[in-house]
Amino acid sequence: MSQMGNKNRPKVIVTRKLPDSIETRMAELFDVKLNLADTPMSADQLKAAVAEADVLVPTVTDTIDADVLSAAGEQLTLIANFGAGVDHIDLTAAKDRGIKVTNTPGVLTEDTADLTMALLLSVPRRLFEGEKILRAGEWTGWTPTFLMGHRIEGKRLGIIGMGRIGRAVARRARAFNIAVHYHNRTQLPQEVEGELEATYWEDLDQMLGRMDIVSVNCPLTADTHHLLNRTRLKKLQPHAVIINTARGEIIDEEALADLIEVGRIAGAGLDVFEAEPTINPKLLELDNVVLLPHMGSATIEGRTAMGEKVLINIQAYADGHRPPDRVLPI
Ligand code: 8YV
């Protein structure tokens, strides 16, 4: 039985504006404080929120570190994250204070994989370069050699992180006749590998040296921070491109920008950045880089489903049951 077991209407503080239907349901079910203005909360505002709430509903834009959690009152027993990644939450600090953490896995898999494919097509085929030229009124007509990119059919894709999203990317890649390779903490069961026609590389460095396209699909953890550091990035072949729809901090962004600038890496498609929403100015200068504002899961369907997961996790917890999407305790 949770500490909230007797509370019919837990006090829930939501840090950002969520889809309308979710906010409406939240207000029906819980004593909820919404952020209709949608301005990101400062550390002090987050501290005030954790001092007051039974349940906090943060997003990727909230840094819930040990300092913020030090302000939490005894009543804060659940952090029901709106999002799958929980790297912005200090799980050790939460655990020490007996705070449970849930997330929203599974419902953003396909959308994020779609966006990964969109970038995977956009960079080699130079789609955004073409768009930019056309909109600037600089297109003077078809020529046989204008904006030639590279074919993706038959190329080798190395997926880093073969969880739900990585596998969804692999399925799509197979449909484009791309050869799927992957690096993961553990090798997938043979039947899954067979289904995805995926080749496992235990050694990431070796895989990087042989790929045409690399897609980052692993979570950000202490182990994956700057997993693609300068030394590793240099293992890539000069014609390789990198796609990142996971977390910016997994790649040393400065090194990536430097290596693309000097032609040691052919390009990148990035939906996530090390210091979001600040973008490394070097990246902004590069034509062979496609930059998107962290929109992997930005579909009405996906964001609504994420909200529904948050609702279910809170309701289950308030009813004294184990919420379905437990990150902490596992
Ligand atoms: C979300 C994401 O939009 O779920 C995740 O981990 O990166 C995004 O798809 C964001 O995290 C919402 O908090």
Side-chain angles (χ1 to χ4, degrees):
M1 189 65 140
S2 76
Q3 289 166 44
M4 288 194 313
N6 298 327
K7 279 199 179 185
N8 289 334
R9 284 173 68 82
K11 172 132 204 177
V12 177
I13 299 189
V14 184
T15 66
R16 302 300 299 266
K17 168 108 190 71
L18 301 183
D20 287 343
S21 60
I22 300 301
E23 292 191 334
T24 305
R25 194 71 187 124
M26 282 255 182
E28 284 165 7
L29 291 170
F30 315 123
D31 172 13
V32 71
K33 206 182 215 183
L34 300 168
N35 178 0
L36 297 177
D38 202 22
T39 38
M41 286 189 180
S42 65
D44 282 344
Q45 286 171 318
L46 287 171
K47 283 183 180 174
V50 295
E52 188 190 342
D54 298 321
V55 179
L56 182 74
V57 179
T59 75
V60 67
T61 58
D62 306 299
T63 303
I64 314 292
D65 56 15
D67 182 44
V68 165
L69 288 177
S70 70
E74 288 283 306
Q75 83 300 326
L76 181 81
T77 48
L78 177 65
I79 298 175
N81 187 52
F82 181 86
V86 288
D87 48 279
H88 55 293
I89 303 171
D90 185 331
L91 294 179
T92 309
K95 191 174 180 198
D96 289 347
R97 304 186 76 88
I99 300 167
K100 312 269 189 301
V101 177
T102 58
N103 68 343
T104 64
V107 291
L108 41 79
T109 307
E110 306 304 324
D111 294 328
T112 308
D114 285 344
L115 194 92
T116 305
M117 288 309 288
L119 287 171
L120 196 151
L121 290 163
S122 301
V123 180
R125 294 302 302 273
R126 308 178 64 181
L127 300 189
F128 286 80
E129 285 177 72
E131 227 263 349
K132 212 163 107 189
I133 290 168
L134 186 142
R135 280 184 187 271
E138 290 165 3
W139 186 38
T140 52
W142 188 89
T143 86
T145 55
F146 181 55
L147 276 182
M148 290 189 295
H150 284 282
R151 176 184 297 163
I152 60 157
E153 196 263 345
K155 294 287 157 50
R156 292 172 146 217
L157 167 66
I159 299 175
I160 301 176
M162 209 48 150
R164 287 188 188 83
I165 298 172
R167 291 180 218 189
V169 171
R171 285 197 305 274
R172 284 160 175 75
R174 286 307 300 140
F176 282 84
N177 207 16
I178 294 170
V180 173
H181 298 254
Y182 74 101
H183 170 77
N184 201 42
R185 273 174 312 176
T186 51
Q187 186 166 3
L188 296 180
Q190 253 182 12
E191 64 271 22
V192 182
E193 265 188 1
E195 216 173 277
L196 300 171
E197 299 176 85
T199 305
Y200 179 58
W201 294 77
E202 194 180 343
D203 187 324
L204 175 59
D205 291 351
Q206 282 186 13
M207 181 177 90
L208 291 176
R210 287 164 179 81
M211 295 300 120
D212 304 305
I213 306 164
V214 169
S215 175
V216 180
N217 296 107
C218 60
L220 172 64
T221 63
D223 289 338
T224 63
H225 185 269
H226 279 198
L227 182 67
L228 296 185
N229 56 23
R230 196 174 287 267
T231 313
R232 283 234 170 81
L233 289 170
K234 283 186 179 163
K235 308 241 182 249
L236 287 164
Q237 305 179 81
H239 72 266
V241 305
I242 296 194
I243 309 300
N244 188 4
T245 53
R247 284 292 181 270
E249 296 93 322
I250 298 168
I251 304 181
D252 178 345
E253 202 169 84
E254 185 73 12
L256 178 68
D258 289 346
L259 293 168
I260 294 175
E261 197 179 10
V262 297
R264 275 288 290 104
I265 295 176
L270 307 174
D271 184 45
V272 287
F273 304 91
E274 276 203 76
E276 289 177 24
T278 305
I279 308 297
N280 185 322
K282 282 188 188 169
L283 288 175
L284 294 169
E285 294 299 315
L286 299 168
D287 272 342
N288 40 352
V289 165
V290 174
L291 307 169
L292 296 179
H294 197 150
M295 53 196 292
S297 66
T299 64
I300 294 168
E301 295 85 346
R303 292 283 162 83
T304 304
M306 285 161 70
E308 279 160 4
K309 275 203 163 265
V310 171
L311 289 169
I312 290 166
N313 282 319
I314 300 174
Q315 189 63 67
Y317 191 59
D319 288 345
H321 303 302
R322 277 151 66 88
D325 306 304
R326 297 177 304 280
V327 175
L328 191 68
I330 310 287

